[in-house]
Amino acid sequence: MSKPRHISYDEAKRLARDPDLAKRVVLARRRDLRPEILYYLAEDAAPEVRRVVAVNPTAPHQANLLLARDRDEEVRTGVAGKLARIFPGLGKREIERLHRTAYEALDALARDELVRVRKILAEALKDVAHAPHEVINRLARDPELEVSVPVLELSPVLTDEDLVGIIESTPASGALSAISRRTGLAQGVADAIVATDDVGAITSLLANRSAQIREETLDFLIDRAPTIEAWHEPLVRRPRLSPGAALKLAHFVADSLIQTLQARADVDPATLNQVAAAVRRRLDAGPAAESTAPEPPVPAARPKPTAPPKPRPAGTATRAAAASADDAPAPPPPAPIACPAADAPAARPPGPEARAGGAPEPAAAAPALPAGAPPGAEPAPSGESAPPADGAPSAEPAADEGERGHWRETPEQALKRATQLRRAGRLDENVLYNALADDENNFVVAGLALLAELPVPDVERIIFARDPKGVVALAWKAGISMRFAIKLQAYLADIPAAAVLKDDGFGGYPLEEAEIRDVLAALLAE
């Protein structure tokens, strides 16, 4: 193809004004024109001319910005495709030298009403390390998955803070799963994904071998996993599986996964022996017993209020009760929050099936033996426990040596323990966070009551009301962070994810102090 003949500046100006559309289109294709000529053509009344300028790589930045806001869809699509081809090939210094209008053009395209335009841009910028942060953030939060997913999964521009903010804005499940697949996912981001309770996203997280998951978080997921089969294989194949986690998995995963578990090089011989013993007990029980046997010797999934009792009438307790908790005997225990069946002898908290409306666990099921118990060993008699030491909670026999401490703790015991920690200056948000992760809901309520200087029944009333604003107001009065207030809404008050009240976008409380006080006053006056 022969090179087009050179034309002078004056001739180019004349052709740009020529009434013949075909001549203006031919002119717009040229790559040897002065920038002002192409900018003039970018304002041409005919969309055919503007479409040609949109794909011309020599068009000036000002023309690109103008065309990125053009009313014609093909013009905007053309300039998006051009920038998508050019931008990924630029180095950091070249990108830094770009005129501000180039960034403005990308931002305009990221806001475009046409999904096809935003998708072109997202595909082009998804793995560009020096892409504009504000543009990437906008594409990552796009409601259309075909736009957001590539950026969420691959963009190195997104920070951990960006990702946690996106997760807490309750995006679509597909967006959460895309974040879960990111290489080298940080622990804080993994915790935020787990907090959403999205089964699909958590499945992707567990399958992501490069994701950093805290041991406590993994334990929590294993406790929930017996009824979620999709998690079994990725859990068994997780890197750096602790001995306790391996033993828990042995109680419920399929036989083929047991073989995978036993073949792991990082499982020590002692744990392998315990795994083998657990498998033998499963085989001895038979398939019928497997479907009705008690849960494996781990804590049940996090207890959540299901059918809260009606709040007590006003006046049943006073604020002075909590304020004097340091010096007065502990109040009579209210009904346990976390476990409606907690008064039954040696009864476990209701399992996932019972909470979902399924059949309750059979009363005749034998208690589990401690890990590594010899064949023929007898379990502790049901309901027996050692008397508590002075000032200490009762230590009921755990079903397994790896079981965490106080989920059977009564509200009275929980308040006593929380009071002791408060006197020692150790009752803080970290303590409550760990208690919530360990299913110690009665202790969390007691701790909130002490920190907020409210009676325990009033705190129960706020939790059972399942009002997001109420829980947030309680957290504020207790002096804890909004980040933890989000978890209290989801895991203590059992508020659906879609209704959970988020932060103000900067990690702070979304309500003004006056509104918080009004919310508390209304709830406590009921």
Side-chain angles (χ1 to χ4, degrees):
M1 184 175 180
S2 59
K3 184 178 180 180
R5 69 175 183 84
H6 176 73
I7 59 174
S8 66
Y9 179 62
D10 290 337
E11 185 179 0
K13 287 198 298 183
R14 181 182 60 77
L15 289 172
R17 297 187 181 94
D18 197 295
D20 188 338
L21 174 61
K23 291 182 179 178
R24 301 201 307 277
V25 168
V26 170
L27 181 68
R29 290 197 183 102
R30 297 184 68 102
R31 301 189 181 187
D32 57 349
L33 298 178
R34 296 267 289 272
E36 56 267 33
I37 299 295
L38 286 171
Y39 185 84
Y40 180 84
L41 292 170
E43 294 182 304
D44 197 286
E48 293 86 351
V49 176
R50 303 198 304 275
R51 291 168 191 168
V52 175
V53 178
V55 298
N56 190 327
T58 64
H61 299 311
Q62 293 85 349
N64 290 332
L65 177 58
L66 183 67
L67 296 168
R69 298 167 176 167
D70 197 279
R71 62 184 178 275
D72 185 83
E73 292 180 358
E74 287 191 37
V75 171
R76 301 197 308 274
T77 303
V79 75
K82 176 179 69 179
L83 293 177
R85 289 188 298 272
I86 295 173
F87 206 91
L90 299 178
K92 182 178 180 180
R93 291 185 178 179
E94 292 173 296
I95 290 174
E96 290 174 349
R97 284 198 300 267
L98 281 177
H99 196 277
R100 180 63 195 172
T101 51
Y103 286 90
E104 291 176 2
L106 289 172
D107 187 63
L109 294 169
R111 298 169 185 265
D112 199 284
E113 63 181 17
L114 199 64
V115 176
R116 180 160 55 107
V117 170
R118 305 198 306 273
K119 181 182 177 182
I120 290 172
L121 201 62
E123 284 290 341
L125 302 180
K126 64 185 178 184
D127 52 2
V128 177
H130 308 301
H133 181 265
E134 60 269 28
V135 174
I136 291 297
N137 237 315
R138 183 173 299 282
L139 293 172
R141 295 173 183 270
D142 197 286
E144 298 295 334
L145 291 179
E146 57 187 317
V147 177
S148 63
V149 163
V151 174
L152 288 172
E153 185 173 349
L154 298 170
S155 178
V157 175
L158 294 172
T159 66
D160 291 346
E161 290 75 15
D162 293 332
L163 295 170
V164 171
I166 291 168
I167 292 167
E168 292 180 348
S169 69
T170 61
S173 179
L176 289 173
S177 295
I179 296 174
S180 298
R181 294 191 294 268
R182 288 178 66 92
T183 301
L185 198 70
Q187 289 181 352
V189 183
D191 283 344
I193 291 169
V194 172
T196 67
D197 206 27
D198 186 294
V199 171
I202 295 172
T203 303
S204 298
L205 175 68
L206 292 172
N208 181 355
R209 296 177 64 83
S210 71
Q212 302 172 39
I213 305 177
R214 292 187 304 118
E215 188 172 333
E216 296 87 346
T217 303
L218 202 61
D219 284 343
F220 169 67
L221 293 176
I222 291 173
D223 293 346
R224 291 196 55 210
T227 58
I228 307 176
E229 189 174 352
W231 292 357
H232 293 188
E233 182 170 359
L235 277 170
V236 168
R237 299 184 183 279
R238 282 296 306 170
R240 297 181 296 280
L241 201 60
S242 71
L247 184 57
K248 291 177 185 179
L249 290 170
H251 285 85
F252 60 84
V253 299
D255 293 345
S256 59
L257 293 176
I258 289 287
Q259 295 174 7
T260 302
L261 196 60
Q262 291 175 318
R264 289 182 61 116
D266 60 341
V267 178
D268 60 86
T271 303
L272 286 177
N273 289 337
Q274 291 181 328
V275 168
V279 174
R280 284 196 300 272
R281 287 196 294 271
R282 285 175 51 177
L283 292 175
D284 291 343
E290 278 195 23
S291 61
T292 58
E295 294 178 1
V298 295
R302 171 169 287 129
K304 297 180 182 178
T306 50
K310 293 181 180 179
R312 294 182 177 83
T316 57
T318 65
R319 293 174 183 269
S324 61
D326 289 346
D327 304 314
I337 292 177
C339 177
D343 293 331
R348 296 184 63 82
E353 297 84 354
R355 287 196 302 277
E361 297 176 355
L369 293 172
E378 292 293 328
S382 175
E384 291 188 7
S385 62
D390 184 26
S394 63
E396 299 192 16
D400 178 76
E401 63 184 3
E403 183 162 324
R404 298 190 292 266
H406 300 276
W407 62 269
R408 287 195 182 98
E409 197 174 42
T410 67
E412 182 179 16
Q413 294 165 346
L415 182 59
K416 182 177 289 187
R417 184 160 63 97
T419 301
Q420 290 172 340
L421 287 172
R422 185 189 184 197
R423 285 173 176 165
R426 292 164 48 204
L427 183 65
D428 57 19
E429 180 174 324
N430 289 333
V431 170
L432 295 185
Y433 181 94
N434 291 331
L436 186 64
D438 285 348
D439 305 331
E440 299 172 0
N441 288 3
N442 287 329
F443 177 81
V444 175
V445 169
L448 288 172
L450 293 174
L451 292 175
E453 298 184 350
L454 291 173
V456 168
D458 282 359
V459 174
E460 285 184 341
R461 183 184 307 147
I462 293 171
I463 297 300
F464 285 149
R466 301 178 73 184
D467 177 5
K469 287 187 176 181
V471 178
V472 168
L474 172 64
W476 176 86
K477 184 162 177 55
I480 62 181
S481 70
M482 183 59 198
R483 178 70 58 82
F484 188 40
I486 292 172
K487 296 185 183 300
L488 289 175
Q489 293 175 73
Y491 292 110
L492 187 64
D494 198 30
I495 294 170
V500 166
L501 199 60
K502 307 300 182 185
D503 62 31
D504 61 359
F506 300 94
Y509 276 80
L511 307 178
E512 297 293 336
E513 182 174 341
E515 184 178 2
I516 289 176
R517 295 188 184 279
D518 289 344
V519 169
L520 282 173
L523 286 170
L524 296 175
E526 293 177 357

